Amino acid sequence: DYPLPESFGPRTFGNAGAAALAAAKGLNRLACLRIRDNGIGPAGAEALASSESFPALAELDLSGNPIGDAGAVALARSKAL
């Protein structure tokens, strides 16, 4: 398991960071993830929604990110989250 803060500072992630996090291994015990105001758009939200890296995730906070309708739909339909 990787040491991972449960929240990240503003504007440090973007879509590339969200995709990298979605592909990460060893996050199976992560229960809460706050990635507020980080420039994550629809592609980043879709990457998180399709990820199977977070089976214990109970809270995902993407507030302040421009995920748009496509990202919101992907998250709502996610079977992985």
Side-chain angles (χ1 to χ4, degrees):
D1 293 323
Y2 297 98
L4 184 70
E6 74 171 32
S7 62
F8 296 89
R11 293 172 295 283
T12 58
F13 246 62
N15 288 328
L21 186 62
K25 304 294 182 208
L27 301 176
N28 57 333
R29 295 184 310 175
L30 186 67
C32 175
L33 182 59
R34 296 181 183 110
I35 317 174
R36 301 178 191 126
D37 301 308
N38 268 273
I40 296 171
E46 290 169 6
L48 292 169
S50 65
S51 175
E52 295 183 7
S53 294
F54 321 110
L57 195 65
E59 180 184 342
L60 175 62
D61 183 355
L62 295 175
S63 59
N65 288 290
I67 64 170
D69 291 342
V73 168
L75 290 166
R77 291 184 176 163
S78 175
K79 293 182 178 19
L81 297 177

